[in-house]
Amino acid sequence: MAKQHQYQFCFGPWNISEGQDPYGPPTRPAQTFDWKLKQLKKSGFDAMMFHDDDAVPDIDGKSDAQVRKEARELKQKLADAGVVAEMVAPRLWFSPKTIDGAYTSNDPKSRQYAIERTLRCIDVANYLGTKLIVLWLAREGTYLREAKDGRRSIEWLVQALDKMLAYDRSIRISIEPKPNEPMDHAYVPTIGHALALAQLTRDPKRVGCLIESAHAILAGLDPADEIDFAMAFGKLWSLHLNDQNGLKFDQDKPFGSNNLRVAFNQVRALERGGYGKRGEYVCFDVHPFRTTKVEHWLAHLVNSRRTFLRLVQKARTFDEKAARQLVADRNHAALDQMVLEHLMGK
Ligand code: XLS
Ligand code: MG
């Protein structure tokens, strides 16, 4: 049997969150970054993902020299812990300057700010030793259809991507689509949109995507199909596995928590496509349940990783030959039951 590769795992500091939601305050006291880093390594993870201001807090108020100093100190801290930085993403949705959007704001000063902030994020990525920039285009969309020009917005997005690609010729950009929340409608709601946008840029080869399971489900899609689609283009460069119960607020539940079969099919698609063989990480963008006690604070991450590895075994032991025969016989009822029996085990 061909040697099967080992997956490498990742999460972000925001995934050890304190339980606040739009209707109530935190339910757990904040922990330090150093504590989170220690937990990450102890729990079997290899890498950490960052927003630019996770890496350098209050980044907007700091000089270039200060940003460089703090980012380099963080790089050293990661190296000492035996952890690498997977990616850096500009957090463009928090600033008072981006209330009407960032790259697609109607205000030219906001658009300018968004681009300058992103170029700084690229500097941070370089200091941390990663070439992957993730763009979750949180506020690039509308609450009100008449408030923005959709076509112009796409042109602005392409201009912004072109500036990033020209600023550093070795970075790669992974667009993380999400169809809604915080916006009513986002301009880049699916992987198809992200990869089509990539084609309009000056260097399409360096613009790929990141699939988050919950975001695909919110778009009414099966995340396994999104994975297959992105991998057909060779452009699945990162992944946020989690789960989501239908069309609600973004729940970021543990991987497999809501629908084990949908999770199994994601793992099967990743296995088929050889995800991870070119150094890609399996990241879990999951949050603890609000009720979680401090002593159980890592459980959603540890459990997601465990479920993933169990499902890798399920994918590797799935009787593909029997499945192919049932497909050839068009016996979908038996195929359906075969999947269920396999997942339930003996
Ligand atoms: C929000 C996103 C965000 C990105 C990185 O849903 O998952 O956290 O992953 O900016
Ligand atoms: Mg995400």
Side-chain angles (χ1 to χ4, degrees):
M1 204 201 288
K3 195 171 175 300
Q4 286 156 337
H5 76 287
Q6 303 269 313
Y7 287 95
Q8 290 190 289
F9 298 98
C10 174
F11 66 77
W14 66 90
N15 297 121
I16 307 182
S17 50
E18 291 90 39
Q20 65 272 35
D21 67 17
Y23 308 98
T27 55
R28 292 172 294 278
Q31 259 298 357
T32 62
F33 176 80
D34 291 1
W35 183 85
K36 292 181 180 183
L37 183 59
K38 207 159 121 203
Q39 304 307 312
L40 178 139
K41 195 66 195 173
K42 266 195 355 211
S43 311
F45 289 76
D46 312 280
M48 199 178 240
M49 49 184 174
F50 290 94
H51 293 106
D52 49 3
D53 59 357
D54 294 320
V56 181
D58 306 317
I59 190 167
D60 279 337
K62 289 180 177 162
S63 67
D64 287 343
Q66 189 65 20
V67 169
R68 180 170 60 236
K69 180 172 170 289
E70 289 186 34
R72 284 190 175 154
E73 282 166 7
L74 173 60
K75 169 79 189 327
Q76 190 55 50
K77 193 179 274 192
L78 295 176
D80 292 344
V83 170
V84 299
E86 190 244 357
M87 63 83 167
V88 187
R91 198 196 300 267
L92 289 169
W93 52 94
F94 248 74
S95 165
K97 294 184 182 140
T98 55
I99 53 173
D100 189 33
Y103 310 122
T104 65
S105 170
N106 285 321
D107 177 357
K109 285 205 273 318
S110 298
R111 297 199 301 275
Q112 187 59 30
Y113 161 78
I115 288 170
E116 282 162 11
R117 167 93 183 230
T118 309
L119 301 187
R120 261 193 148 186
C121 170
I122 295 173
D123 292 342
V124 171
N126 276 308
Y127 300 138
L128 295 187
T130 174
K131 289 293 176 189
L132 190 64
I133 304 297
V134 167
L135 296 182
W136 174 44
L137 302 168
R139 295 197 191 276
E140 317 302 356
T142 54
Y143 299 111
L144 188 68
R145 178 59 53 248
E146 299 82 3
K148 283 191 182 180
D149 178 332
R151 172 153 183 192
R152 191 83 190 100
S153 295
I154 294 303
E155 288 163 5
W156 280 332
L157 282 172
V158 173
Q159 282 171 20
L161 286 160
D162 280 348
K163 290 211 172 94
M164 297 169 214
L165 293 164
Y167 181 72
D168 183 332
R169 285 167 199 281
S170 59
I171 55 152
R172 290 188 304 161
I173 300 170
S174 276
I175 298 174
E176 178 180 352
K178 183 180 179 186
N180 62 286
E181 200 203 24
M183 307 311 289
D184 181 12
H185 289 285
Y187 285 133
V188 186
T190 69
I191 293 301
H193 289 80
L195 297 188
L197 191 64
Q199 291 310 116
L200 292 180
T201 67
R202 57 186 289 151
D203 195 357
K205 285 192 311 304
R206 291 197 286 134
V207 183
C209 63
L210 181 164
I211 290 168
E212 173 158 329
S213 324
H215 297 180
I217 294 166
L218 285 168
L221 299 172
D222 186 328
D225 283 346
E226 289 283 82
I227 289 172
D228 275 336
F229 187 84
M231 293 197 94
F233 287 78
K235 285 200 167 185
L236 186 59
W237 299 336
S238 189
L239 186 64
H240 287 178
L241 296 180
N242 57 15
D243 213 349
Q244 170 75 27
N245 184 17
L247 305 183
K248 297 180 180 166
F249 60 94
D250 189 355
Q251 297 180 313
D252 294 333
K253 286 179 154 189
F255 183 52
S257 159
N258 195 66
N259 192 329
L260 201 56
R261 185 175 187 168
V262 170
F264 168 67
N265 282 315
Q266 289 171 75
V267 174
R268 199 159 167 251
L270 294 168
E271 279 275 297
R272 261 202 314 259
Y275 184 83
K277 286 188 176 161
R278 287 161 296 274
E280 307 92 341
Y281 287 85
V282 174
C283 310
F284 297 107
D285 202 354
V286 291
H287 285 276
F289 296 113
R290 188 160 195 260
T291 48
T292 302
K293 293 179 187 166
V294 169
E295 59 266 39
H296 307 142
W297 209 343
L298 267 291
H300 61 304
L301 290 156
V302 171
N303 293 345
S304 292
R305 181 179 176 279
R306 182 178 157 84
T307 304
F308 178 87
L309 288 170
R310 291 283 304 270
L311 289 176
V312 168
Q313 284 320 312
K314 287 288 174 190
R316 289 179 184 172
T317 54
F318 186 64
D319 190 342
E320 297 287 352
K321 193 168 160 222
R324 271 195 305 276
Q325 276 162 3
L326 293 174
V327 170
D329 189 30
R330 229 176 58 205
N331 192 346
H332 291 178
L335 178 64
D336 185 35
Q337 190 61 18
M338 181 186 154
V339 173
L340 295 183
E341 299 279 349
H342 187 61
L343 288 178
M344 288 188 286
K346 289 279 171 284

